[in-house]
Amino acid sequence: MSNKLIPALKLGILIALNILMIGLVLYAGSHDSVDALSKMGSRGAEVREIQTRLKRWGYLDGAVDGIYGTQTEKAVRYFQSKNGLAVDGIAGPATLRALGINSTTGTASTGSSGVGGYSDSDYRLLARIISAEARGEVYEGQVAVGGVVLNRVKHSSFPNTISGVVYQPGAFSAINDGQINQPVADSCYRAARDAINGWDASGGAIYYYNPDKTSNQWMRSRPVIKRIGRHLFCK
């Protein structure tokens, strides 16, 4: 090989190595941003939003200060354990979705990209709880369960978001028995859409129960609006 070609070859190798290193740095940086998690030691708006929701729903006893400390981790673990999520104390993508938080912005899921002004994640969560609670019910009964969730969102005694209502501690048995994690029946997507678009098949109910399975006397004392399938819908 000519002595004149050796310096050029070395220069080419150095350039190639530099390009490779830059590519690796960019690749690692992009993956860090995608996999970014709120966990012990994290700070910022996303942590504050996590704390706000956990506090509102009764999972967090500590302050809403934007600092992911021991109490926040404990609250996240509690939320995860009650909602069929992997219990690791880290607010990863699945936990943030369950909280109704946009994992890319750290804010509440909003927007009209879904149905009727609700976000797509809200629409899908509504379909999921309908399926979990009323999979075997007649279609009107499925829409009615969706109506109860939406009526609670509008009621001052309940959280003002779909995710807040669904994941309110003790609100739905499907959260505790794992039915929320089962595949969603196709009819329940339609039921969620109909409920969001204004069909309140429940007649304004904020409660419902199966009289064959419920022994709770307070629930049985609620004024009944109507019966659809196996559920009584109440005020």
Side-chain angles (χ1 to χ4, degrees):
M1 181 181 294
S2 171
N3 289 338
K4 293 181 179 180
L5 292 177
I6 292 176
L9 182 59
K10 288 181 178 180
L11 179 60
I13 292 172
L14 287 173
I15 292 172
L17 287 173
N18 283 331
I19 292 172
L20 178 61
M21 290 299 293
I22 292 171
L24 288 172
V25 169
L26 292 175
Y27 178 83
S30 65
H31 276 61
D32 285 344
S33 63
V34 169
D35 295 334
L37 306 169
S38 284
K39 55 187 178 181
M40 183 68 77
S42 297
R43 295 169 178 255
E46 181 174 277
V47 176
R48 184 176 293 277
E49 184 64 30
I50 291 167
Q51 292 172 327
T52 298
R53 287 168 181 257
L54 293 174
K55 184 85 170 180
R56 183 188 304 152
W57 302 340
Y59 291 97
L60 177 65
D61 293 328
V64 176
D65 56 9
I67 303 172
Y68 204 116
T70 303
Q71 288 184 310
T72 301
E73 182 185 55
K74 181 180 178 181
V76 169
R77 285 181 176 275
Y78 182 29
F79 176 81
Q80 290 169 330
S81 69
K82 296 293 286 184
N83 295 290
L85 299 165
V87 180
D88 56 11
I90 298 172
T95 299
L96 291 175
R97 281 195 300 272
L99 287 166
I101 296 173
N102 187 324
S103 61
T104 60
T105 65
T107 58
S109 297
T110 57
S112 57
S113 60
V115 178
Y118 285 95
S119 70
D120 186 64
S121 62
D122 281 337
Y123 159 63
R124 292 183 178 278
L125 180 57
L126 182 61
R128 183 166 291 279
I129 193 63
I130 291 172
S131 184
E133 289 277 316
R135 187 181 293 106
E137 294 294 312
V138 297
Y139 184 70
E140 183 182 358
Q142 293 177 349
V143 179
V145 168
V148 168
V149 173
L150 296 179
N151 290 339
R152 289 186 180 186
V153 170
K154 300 169 188 174
H155 198 284
S156 60
S157 297
F158 297 91
N160 62 359
T161 63
I162 289 177
S163 59
V165 167
V166 169
Y167 290 112
Q168 186 176 27
F172 295 99
S173 61
I175 302 297
N176 297 326
D177 64 19
Q179 287 297 313
I180 189 72
N181 300 312
Q182 296 301 310
V184 179
D186 289 341
S187 62
C188 295
Y189 285 112
R190 298 195 302 274
R193 185 179 295 274
D194 280 340
I196 287 174
N197 285 336
W199 180 16
D200 183 4
S202 77
I206 54 174
Y207 300 102
Y208 64 88
Y209 66 94
N210 183 334
D212 296 330
K213 295 182 178 181
T214 300
S215 59
N216 185 297
Q217 292 304 308
W218 182 86
M219 183 63 74
R220 285 179 170 274
S221 71
R222 307 306 301 171
V224 175
I225 297 172
K226 61 168 67 175
R227 178 166 190 154
I228 306 175
R230 289 171 289 186
H231 286 142
L232 294 179
F233 291 85
C234 315
K235 295 181 181 178

